Amino acid sequence: MAQQVDPIRRRLLFGTAAVSAGALLTACTSNDSASDDGSAEQAPVADDKPGKHVTIGFAGPQADHGWLNAINVNARDRAKKYKDVSLEITEGSNDTAAQIGQIETLINKKVDVLVILPADGKALTQVGLKAMRANIPVINLDRVFNTPQAYRCWIGGDNYGMGLNAGHYIGEQLKDKQNAKVVELAGMDTLELTQQRTKGFDDALKNYPNIKKVARQAAEFTVESGQSKMASLLQANKQFDALWNHDDDQGVGALRAIEQAGRDEFFMVGGAGALSAFQAIKQDSGVLKATVLYPPTMAASAIDLARALGQSKGLGGMAEFEIPSSITLYSAVVDKANVDQYMATGFK
C-alpha cells in the first residue's frame, strides 16, 4: 500500500452502487467512422467478448497479510473470467532480490503484459524499466516505482484520501459535541503510506474546531501489535469519543484489547475493508461502526487494464484510444447503511 505520486488522478468507486474499473472496461466495441458533424471516431474498447490472447505475468510480495492475500485472490479470479487471458503468477516474496528474480523470469518468458505490486517500489524500479525496455508494458500496482518510465499505468489506493475520509466521517459524528477527543492507532511510521494517512486525518479534523486528537500510537499492521498498542492507548486515555485505526488486520487485536478493558464509551473507524470488519459493522454490537476502504479489488482492475493493453484497446466510457496513465481508487466509508453492498469484497 503506497502513496500515488503521479499528478494525473482518476478516482473509481468500488461496490454495487459504484462504478468499478471492470465496469468501465465492459462496453460495446466500436470502430465507427467520424460522423458528418466532425466528431471523432469511437475508440476500440475492451469488453467481455474473447479477443486476442494475452499472457499476463503477475508478481507481488509475499501474502503475509490479509490484504495482500486478497490481492492475489482478486488477480487470479479476474483472470479466470476471460477465455483470452493466461496468468503467469509468481510465488511472491518480501525479499527484494527474490522478487526481482521472479520478475526477470517473467520477462524471459516474454509475457505480453506485466502486473507488478513491488515489495519495495524504489528497489524494484530498475526491473520495471527493464520490462518496459523489453517492450513489455507494466501495470504498476499500488506501491509506486520511482519513475513513471518504469510503468505504463499505475493503479492503486489513496492513502491521504483514506485518512481524509476517516476524519470527515468521525468529524460529522462528533460535530455537535463540545470538547470531543479522538485517538489514532496508526500503521508503521517508517512507511510513507502511514504518514499520508495521518496527514489526511489531521487535515480533515481541522474542519472541526470542537475536536482534538489527544493521542496517537503506531502499530505494525499485525493483530499482535494492534492489541498491545491499543492497550497502551486505553491505559493512557481514560476517556475519548472516537478511534481511527489504520488497518483492519491490526484492528482485530485492537478490538481484543478494547473488550478486555471493558471500554465502550467511544466508537471506532477501521481501515482497508476486511470481511471481519464488515461483519462486525453489520452486527452493530460493538464499538466498530465503520471502516474506510483500501480496496484489494485493484488487482482485478489491474488484470482488466493489462488485458486492454495487450489487446490495444481503451476503456469504455472514455473517449481516448488508450488506457489512462494513472488510476487512483476512492477510499469509500462503509458503515451499517451501506455495508451489504460491500460485503462480497471483504478480505479474510
Side-chain angles (χ1 to χ4, degrees):
M1 295 175 277
Q3 175 196 9
Q4 163 62 335
V5 295
D6 195 292
I8 305 171
R9 309 176 76 199
R10 172 172 169 76
R11 293 175 178 267
L12 296 174
L13 271 168
F14 282 79
T16 304
V19 179
S20 71
L24 283 171
L25 289 163
T26 304
C28 295
T29 303
S30 174
N31 287 299
D32 295 343
S33 300
S35 63
D36 292 339
D37 63 5
S39 60
E41 289 184 347
Q42 280 187 276
V45 297
D47 60 18
D48 287 340
K49 297 177 183 178
K52 174 186 173 184
H53 188 271
V54 180
T55 299
I56 300 172
F58 184 92
Q62 183 179 346
D64 55 1
H65 181 278
W67 186 88
L68 287 170
N69 182 64
I71 285 286
N72 291 339
V73 171
N74 271 273
R76 286 194 184 100
D77 288 351
R78 196 63 155 201
K80 290 176 183 177
K81 172 184 174 182
Y82 299 116
K83 295 181 180 179
D84 52 12
V85 167
S86 296
L87 188 66
E88 293 273 351
I89 190 165
T90 67
E91 184 176 345
S93 175
N94 290 328
D95 179 83
T96 298
Q99 194 180 19
I100 289 172
Q102 292 170 347
I103 295 168
E104 287 179 336
T105 296
L106 293 172
I107 293 172
N108 292 334
K109 287 184 176 181
K110 301 185 186 303
V111 296
D112 297 307
V113 187
L114 269 169
V115 176
I116 303 174
L117 198 166
D120 183 324
K122 180 180 179 180
L124 269 77
T125 296
Q126 288 302 314
V127 78
L129 287 166
K130 182 176 182 179
M132 292 289 286
R133 289 167 182 158
N135 294 318
I136 300 174
V138 173
I139 304 294
N140 181 194
L141 182 57
D142 197 47
R143 298 173 184 170
V144 70
F145 292 133
N146 265 10
T147 172
Q149 296 184 73
Y151 59 87
R152 166 59 182 82
C153 175
W154 179 91
I155 179 170
D158 184 355
N159 287 292
Y160 177 84
M162 195 177 178
L164 193 72
N165 289 348
H168 280 306
Y169 181 84
I170 288 173
E172 287 301 302
Q173 307 307 307
L174 298 177
K175 64 183 179 182
D176 296 324
K177 183 177 179 60
Q178 291 185 352
N179 302 317
K181 298 176 182 179
V182 301
V183 300
E184 179 182 8
L185 182 63
M188 296 173 66
D189 269 340
T190 55
L191 300 178
E192 187 175 6
L193 68 92
T194 298
Q195 300 163 24
Q196 287 296 310
R197 290 179 186 184
T198 291
K199 186 177 188 314
F201 187 61
D202 290 345
D203 285 352
L205 292 183
K206 291 175 183 177
N207 294 287
Y208 304 94
N210 63 307
I211 300 175
K212 181 179 180 181
K213 187 169 78 172
V214 296
R216 180 183 185 275
Q217 281 275 357
E220 299 175 359
F221 296 122
T222 64
V223 173
E224 295 76 17
S225 68
Q227 184 169 355
S228 64
K229 297 298 184 179
M230 191 67 232
S232 297
L233 277 172
L234 292 168
Q235 187 173 10
N237 298 273
K238 300 306 180 184
Q239 188 281 327
F240 54 91
D241 301 291
L243 159 71
W244 182 43
N245 161 55
H246 285 206
D247 176 74
D248 285 333
D249 271 16
Q250 72 184 25
V252 173
L255 288 169
R256 287 178 186 169
I258 292 165
E259 184 177 357
Q260 289 171 359
R263 298 279 292 273
D264 64 0
E265 82 279 3
F266 59 90
F267 69 92
M268 173 177 168
V269 176
L275 179 60
S276 62
F278 291 162
Q279 291 169 338
I281 290 165
K282 184 176 176 65
Q283 188 176 357
D284 196 23
S285 60
V287 297
L288 183 59
K289 301 301 181 184
T291 190
V292 187
L293 296 187
Y294 199 89
T297 46
M298 64 178 71
S301 295
I303 297 299
D304 288 336
L305 291 164
R307 177 174 177 262
L309 262 181
Q311 296 179 346
S312 301
K313 293 178 179 178
L315 301 185
M318 298 186 69
E320 290 73 24
F321 283 80
E322 301 285 349
I323 68 168
S325 64
S326 176
I327 299 175
T328 303
L329 307 184
Y330 182 69
S331 294
V333 176
V334 177
D335 61 10
K336 192 174 182 180
N338 62 355
V339 66
D340 287 337
Q341 298 177 11
Y342 293 92
M343 192 67 74
T345 70
F347 60 86
K348 297 180 180 179

